[in-house]
Amino acid sequence: MAVLPILHHPDPRLRIKARPVVDFGESLQRLIDDMFETMYDAPGVGLAATQVGVDLRVAVMDAGGDGQPDPQVLINPVIVEASDKQEMDEGCLSVPEVGDKVQRYNKLKLQALDRHGKLYEVEVEGLRAQAIQHEIDHLDGKLYIDYLSSLKRERILKKLRKLAARDAA
Ligand code: NI
């Protein structure tokens, strides 16, 4: 397993709409393991393949939060029902050191494939529901900052450019 480099906004690769997974072979299994290691290392609640420069509809999540690991793999995920829109605090590993409030559905029903290609359906709420919407957005080339005002987005971009300059120094 390996920790993969996470792309940061405004990297254009974060804007690619990822392709559905059709091959559940060894390279997908390695990708999933590496994504989990990268997410836990960051640490983060979720990570989409788009964020590590891989053009496939794969995301990993762990929204356990109570000390118990709860790893979840989402492949070709689809939200089939959503309700109870709320404002939630959100952040992203590709937009480091900042966060803001975003409208998300608090409850949803998800259909996705597991790492072996088996279809599953779950009903989730709260942080899990929020993280699923966030990760599916990544797979569609979207970032949570797209929902903010252009003024806020501009401020975030400035801050990220400063951070990048600091890290390069
Ligand atoms: Ni993110």
mmCIF file of all heavy atoms in Angstrom, residues 51 92-93 134 138, ligand 1:
data_model
loop_
_atom_site.group_PDB
_atom_site.id
_atom_site.type_symbol
_atom_site.label_atom_id
_atom_site.label_comp_id
_atom_site.label_asym_id
_atom_site.label_seq_id
_atom_site.Cartn_x
_atom_site.Cartn_y
_atom_site.Cartn_z
ATOM 1 N N GLN A 51 -9.348 12.844 -6.773
ATOM 2 C CA GLN A 51 -8.411 13.640 -5.963
ATOM 3 C C GLN A 51 -6.993 13.088 -5.984
ATOM 4 O O GLN A 51 -6.064 13.766 -5.538
ATOM 5 C CB GLN A 51 -8.891 13.678 -4.497
ATOM 6 C CG GLN A 51 -10.175 14.456 -4.300
ATOM 7 C CD GLN A 51 -10.601 14.393 -2.842
ATOM 8 O OE1 GLN A 51 -11.265 13.465 -2.425
ATOM 9 N NE2 GLN A 51 -10.200 15.388 -2.068
ATOM 10 N N CYS A 92 -12.477 20.012 2.627
ATOM 11 C CA CYS A 92 -12.046 19.074 1.590
ATOM 12 C C CYS A 92 -10.531 18.977 1.595
ATOM 13 O O CYS A 92 -9.850 19.994 1.711
ATOM 14 C CB CYS A 92 -12.537 19.582 0.233
ATOM 15 S SG CYS A 92 -12.012 18.543 -1.139
ATOM 16 N N LEU A 93 -10.015 17.758 1.437
ATOM 17 C CA LEU A 93 -8.562 17.559 1.423
ATOM 18 C C LEU A 93 -7.918 18.252 0.217
ATOM 19 O O LEU A 93 -6.730 18.556 0.251
ATOM 20 C CB LEU A 93 -8.236 16.059 1.387
ATOM 21 C CG LEU A 93 -8.667 15.255 2.621
ATOM 22 C CD1 LEU A 93 -8.434 13.771 2.395
ATOM 23 C CD2 LEU A 93 -7.927 15.735 3.863
ATOM 24 N N HIS A 134 -20.564 14.830 -1.125
ATOM 25 C CA HIS A 134 -19.275 15.485 -1.381
ATOM 26 C C HIS A 134 -18.413 14.641 -2.325
ATOM 27 O O HIS A 134 -17.830 15.160 -3.287
ATOM 28 C CB HIS A 134 -18.579 15.715 -0.033
ATOM 29 C CG HIS A 134 -17.260 16.404 -0.121
ATOM 30 N ND1 HIS A 134 -17.077 17.713 0.277
ATOM 31 C CD2 HIS A 134 -16.047 15.971 -0.558
ATOM 32 C CE1 HIS A 134 -15.807 18.050 0.084
ATOM 33 N NE2 HIS A 134 -15.157 17.012 -0.412
ATOM 34 N N HIS A 138 -17.091 15.123 -6.312
ATOM 35 C CA HIS A 138 -15.713 14.982 -6.807
ATOM 36 C C HIS A 138 -15.687 14.161 -8.097
ATOM 37 O O HIS A 138 -14.983 14.501 -9.039
ATOM 38 C CB HIS A 138 -14.840 14.268 -5.773
ATOM 39 C CG HIS A 138 -14.215 15.172 -4.763
ATOM 40 N ND1 HIS A 138 -13.441 16.257 -5.106
ATOM 41 C CD2 HIS A 138 -14.224 15.146 -3.407
ATOM 42 C CE1 HIS A 138 -13.007 16.862 -3.996
ATOM 43 N NE2 HIS A 138 -13.472 16.214 -2.955
HETATM 44 NI NI NI B 1 -13.193 16.629 -0.933
#
